[in-house]
Amino acid sequence: MTKPPLTVRELIRDHYPTLTQSERKFANSLLENYPAAGLASITIVAANAEVSTPTIARMVQKLGFKGYPQFHQALLKELEAKVSGPTQRRENWASEAPEGHMLNRFSQAVTDNLSQTFSNVDSGQFDAAVRQLAKTEGRLYVVGGRITRALADYAFTHFQAIRQRVTHMTSSSATWPHYVLDMEEGDTLLLFDVRRYETNLQRLAELAAERGVKVVLITDQWASPIAAVAAHTFNCWVEIPSAWDSNISTMMLLEAMIAATQEESWDKTKDRYDRLDELFDTTRLFRKFS
Amino acid sequence: MTKPPLTVRELIRDHYPTLTQSERKFANSLLENYPAAGLASITIVAANAEVSTPTIARMVQKLGFKGYPQFHQALLKELEAKVSGPTQRRENWASEAPEGHMLNRFSQAVTDNLSQTFSNVDSGQFDAAVRQLAKTEGRLYVVGGRITRALADYAFTHFQAIRQRVTHMTSSSATWPHYVLDMEEGDTLLLFDVRRYETNLQRLAELAAERGVKVVLITDQWASPIAAVAAHTFNCWVEIPSAWDSNISTMMLLEAMIAATQEESWDKTKDRYDRLDELFDTTRLFRKFS
DNA sequence: TATCGCGTGAAAAGATTTTTCCAAAATGGG
DNA sequence: CCCATTTTGGAAAAATCTTTTCACGCGATA
């Protein structure tokens, strides 16, 4: 059986009667500011408690540690455990699929990716990028690479509904110079580049930036070199158990941006949506929504 | 005014573009297990990240610390602050964004959607659909609607890398009859249809089913009418705080299917991947992966 | 007051950690 | 394909931290 790991606090309480005066001085100092007062080096900790280093060295051995480093580690472990909390990880959304099933492995990877991506988004950057994307004075260009072309397409479809002056630059880079010709200050370039980073995209971004176009870059956790010229860069975690990279977090960030952009200019957007709906109704392309 | 102390996480994000390969290795290792992976001595931390101690020493200086001990202290301070901090409730993966911020509302909605979607997937159905998608004897047709066209495109790009005989049916429905003409028993039709359901897609699905084509349908939680003729139907939860529907869970299911299909026929697929890589190398379209 | 036992901390010794230096390896450009 | 440049990690040096040693001080006791 494994011995239940006592906290340092408990250890001190248990040993308190056998502690000497100076040792209690340190014990009190630690309990008063627990566990911070025990996290520095033995020298500093001793100075703070106004006792000598040997006193502390002797005491931690009394508490049952081999030496100060072990004591230090124990405090750290406690702190860590406290932060990671009551196992908030591992969402409870496994399906009925067996343990090692792709569905479950996948869900785990996706959770991790989304979590990483979220905690690395700077909300200030996000807001700034959204304001830029909502600027209808300038034109909004959207472009992606070999894989992210689909994301660019998705972005285009939605932004087109939200605002005017949106252009999807096709992935055939031969046509890009034509677009660059018309780019001017105040325009925005929403660009997707995940590994393997494409040299063509980099050239495009550089040319656009030179012209005063604000580049909003959505890339992976390793950051495309385009970040150097981008006004706003967002990193998405993309690793999954597979030979290729996942774009779910990328997609999520994109959708969040679309949603925020839409909110930013809702009064203008609402009107567009209504008119779009009318058009759909008249062309009867869709079944009535039920 | 006092300068707001950046967290180590933020420092890493800000400096990420200037980090070298090994430095990123450590950065990732730290972010993946934050901040625990940075709390030990430089020697141990380096070993865990599988880089050398000098690499880490150099990196923490890049981040702006005088040396490793300072970096270590900074992490400790953060951890402490987190523990003592007021009401440490918060969502599991909220960013530093304020409570009602779009990012946080969005993350909540996405988690819910993914959770719902996952727990409603039947792993048997999933496996069956994957087997169908991996059948290279027949042709695989991929098609989506107005919005889901992007997903179909994404699916096409990946399936094309995995197997031969894949066709992306463009969203211009005028060309569909030509494709239908060639459809035959044993073929597969991967079809995306989320509300508002498109009548054209329904016609297409019916025609294909009549010809003995197996239809794999990815739809929303309310289920497109196409489900009636589909061999395998998957429902994805799509509601977000917005005027339109999210396709993140849709995308996730799609990616899971791609991953599973790839795994199903890895021996064949691996070869294709290798050859594809070679082709990319010779055309020099991409930067070396770094 | 002399003596003993214990607690204490200065300082030395020892152990470990951190930093620096440099040669080898990897990378990117021509 | 080769060369210049950058990146990397082994190993030694430097710094720091931890432990041990030991002498001093203090109070209790006879």
Side-chain angles (χ1 to χ4, degrees):
Chain A
M1 75 178 198
T2 53
K3 52 185 170 187
L6 287 173
T7 67
V8 172
R9 187 177 250 137
E10 289 165 334
L11 281 172
I12 290 181
R13 198 187 47 216
D14 290 354
H15 288 80
Y16 203 86
T18 72
L19 296 183
T20 69
Q21 208 172 323
S22 305
E23 284 166 354
R24 289 181 186 193
K25 210 166 163 185
F26 167 58
N28 291 333
S29 142
L30 176 55
L31 292 178
E32 255 168 50
N33 183 12
Y34 186 90
L39 291 175
S41 79
I42 195 174
T43 326
I44 294 166
V45 161
N48 284 341
E50 296 183 319
V51 294
S52 67
T53 47
T55 299
I56 292 181
R58 280 188 293 261
M59 168 162 161
V60 297
Q61 291 185 0
K62 260 194 200 170
L63 295 185
F65 297 99
K66 189 166 162 288
Y68 185 80
Q70 283 69 35
F71 163 82
H72 191 261
Q73 282 269 102
L75 278 176
L76 225 50
K77 277 267 162 55
E78 275 178 39
L79 194 58
E80 240 179 80
K82 216 169 169 181
V83 167
S84 60
T87 338
Q88 281 194 328
R89 293 186 70 69
R90 185 143 317 195
E91 292 295 330
N92 214 18
W93 28 287
S95 64
E96 38 63 57
E99 187 63 22
H101 193 279
M102 174 59 80
L103 276 170
N104 284 322
R105 279 184 291 148
F106 209 81
S107 78
Q108 186 58 52
V110 167
T111 323
D112 289 349
N113 282 338
L114 289 177
S115 154
Q116 283 292 335
T117 304
F118 255 114
S119 38
N120 276 282
V121 174
D122 181 292
S123 67
Q125 280 281 319
F126 181 84
D127 294 338
V130 165
R131 271 194 302 279
Q132 184 64 40
L133 291 168
K135 267 192 192 151
T136 45
E137 303 88 56
R139 190 155 265 286
L140 170 62
Y141 295 91
V142 184
V143 68
R146 182 174 72 97
I147 302 280
T148 47
R149 180 190 55 199
L151 289 172
D153 190 15
Y154 189 77
F156 171 69
T157 310
H158 279 297
F159 276 117
Q160 200 185 24
I162 292 176
R163 50 165 287 176
Q164 68 261 71
R165 286 184 221 161
V166 188
T167 307
H168 182 195
M169 296 172 68
T170 65
S171 71
S172 157
S173 55
T175 67
W176 290 354
H178 299 88
Y179 292 112
V180 175
L181 204 58
D182 289 336
M183 287 184 181
E184 45 190 44
E185 189 146 0
D187 288 353
T188 313
L189 174 61
L190 176 60
L191 201 150
F192 298 84
D193 191 29
V194 302
R195 69 177 187 188
R196 310 165 56 162
Y197 313 122
E198 305 184 20
T199 26
N200 280 336
L201 278 175
Q202 189 173 3
R203 299 308 320 240
L204 173 65
E206 284 163 2
L207 288 173
E210 274 170 28
R211 282 183 162 58
V213 174
K214 295 274 186 242
V215 177
V216 177
L217 171 68
I218 297 188
T219 180
D220 54 38
Q221 70 236 60
W222 303 282
S224 147
I226 295 178
V229 297
H232 310 286
T233 303
F234 299 93
N235 301 101
C236 300
W237 264 245
V238 300
E239 277 186 311
I240 45 168
S242 152
W244 39 279
D245 289 324
S246 163
N247 275 297
I248 292 170
S249 55
T250 329
M251 179 92 153
M252 180 211 62
L253 191 68
L254 170 59
E255 282 199 355
M257 275 189 179
I258 298 171
T261 309
Q262 187 197 260
E263 205 177 48
E264 173 94 5
S265 49
W266 180 236
D267 24 335
K268 288 178 221 152
T269 303
K270 189 176 183 319
D271 189 46
R272 285 178 74 85
Y273 268 71
D274 289 347
R275 282 186 293 150
L276 192 62
D277 260 7
E278 262 173 53
L279 289 169
F280 282 143
D281 275 353
T282 42
T283 54
R284 298 213 180 212
L285 262 172
F286 303 110
R287 293 170 61 96
K288 271 256 174 61
F289 166 57
S290 53
Chain B
M1 81 186 196
T2 54
K3 54 183 172 185
L6 287 174
T7 67
V8 172
R9 183 177 248 138
E10 288 164 335
L11 281 172
I12 290 181
R13 193 185 52 215
D14 289 354
H15 288 81
Y16 204 91
T18 72
L19 297 183
T20 69
Q21 211 170 318
S22 308
E23 285 167 352
R24 288 177 186 197
K25 209 165 161 186
F26 166 60
N28 290 332
S29 138
L30 176 56
L31 291 178
E32 259 164 46
N33 183 12
Y34 187 90
L39 290 176
S41 79
I42 196 174
T43 325
I44 294 166
V45 161
N48 284 342
E50 296 183 319
V51 295
S52 66
T53 47
T55 299
I56 291 180
R58 279 187 294 259
M59 168 161 161
V60 296
Q61 290 185 1
K62 260 194 199 170
L63 295 185
F65 296 100
K66 190 168 162 289
Y68 185 82
Q70 283 70 35
F71 163 82
H72 191 262
Q73 281 270 104
L75 277 177
L76 228 49
K77 277 266 161 58
E78 273 178 40
L79 195 60
E80 241 178 77
K82 215 167 168 183
V83 168
S84 59
T87 41
Q88 189 224 326
R89 290 204 48 71
R90 293 290 255 142
E91 271 313 306
N92 37 344
W93 26 286
S95 66
E96 38 63 57
E99 190 62 24
H101 193 278
M102 173 59 80
L103 277 169
N104 284 323
R105 279 184 291 150
F106 209 81
S107 78
Q108 189 55 56
V110 167
T111 321
D112 291 348
N113 282 338
L114 290 176
S115 157
Q116 283 293 333
T117 305
F118 254 114
S119 39
N120 277 282
V121 174
D122 181 290
S123 68
Q125 278 283 317
F126 181 86
D127 293 339
V130 165
R131 271 194 303 278
Q132 183 63 40
L133 290 167
K135 267 192 189 149
T136 46
E137 303 88 54
R139 189 156 267 287
L140 170 61
Y141 295 89
V142 184
V143 69
R146 183 175 71 99
I147 302 283
T148 46
R149 179 190 57 198
L151 288 173
D153 189 15
Y154 189 77
F156 171 69
T157 309
H158 279 298
F159 276 117
Q160 199 185 24
I162 292 176
R163 49 164 288 174
Q164 67 260 70
R165 287 184 224 165
V166 188
T167 307
H168 182 194
M169 297 171 68
T170 64
S171 70
S172 156
S173 54
T175 67
W176 291 352
H178 300 88
Y179 292 113
V180 175
L181 204 58
D182 289 336
M183 286 183 182
E184 44 191 43
E185 189 144 359
D187 287 353
T188 313
L189 174 61
L190 176 58
L191 201 151
F192 298 86
D193 192 29
V194 303
R195 70 174 187 189
R196 311 165 56 160
Y197 312 123
E198 304 184 21
T199 28
N200 280 336
L201 277 175
Q202 190 173 2
R203 300 304 323 237
L204 173 65
E206 283 163 3
L207 287 173
E210 272 171 29
R211 283 181 162 59
V213 173
K214 297 271 188 239
V215 176
V216 177
L217 171 67
I218 298 187
T219 180
D220 55 38
Q221 69 237 60
W222 302 283
S224 147
I226 296 177
V229 297
H232 310 286
T233 302
F234 299 93
N235 301 101
C236 300
W237 265 246
V238 299
E239 278 185 311
I240 46 167
S242 152
W244 39 279
D245 289 323
S246 162
N247 275 297
I248 292 168
S249 52
T250 328
M251 178 94 152
M252 180 211 60
L253 191 70
L254 169 60
E255 282 198 356
M257 275 188 178
I258 298 171
T261 308
Q262 186 198 260
E263 205 177 50
E264 173 94 6
S265 50
W266 180 236
D267 23 334
K268 288 178 221 150
T269 302
K270 189 178 183 320
D271 189 46
R272 285 179 74 84
Y273 267 72
D274 289 347
R275 281 186 294 151
L276 192 61
D277 259 7
E278 262 173 51
L279 287 169
F280 281 143
D281 276 353
T282 42
T283 55
R284 298 219 180 206
L285 262 172
F286 303 109
R287 294 171 59 96
K288 272 258 175 59
F289 164 58
S290 57

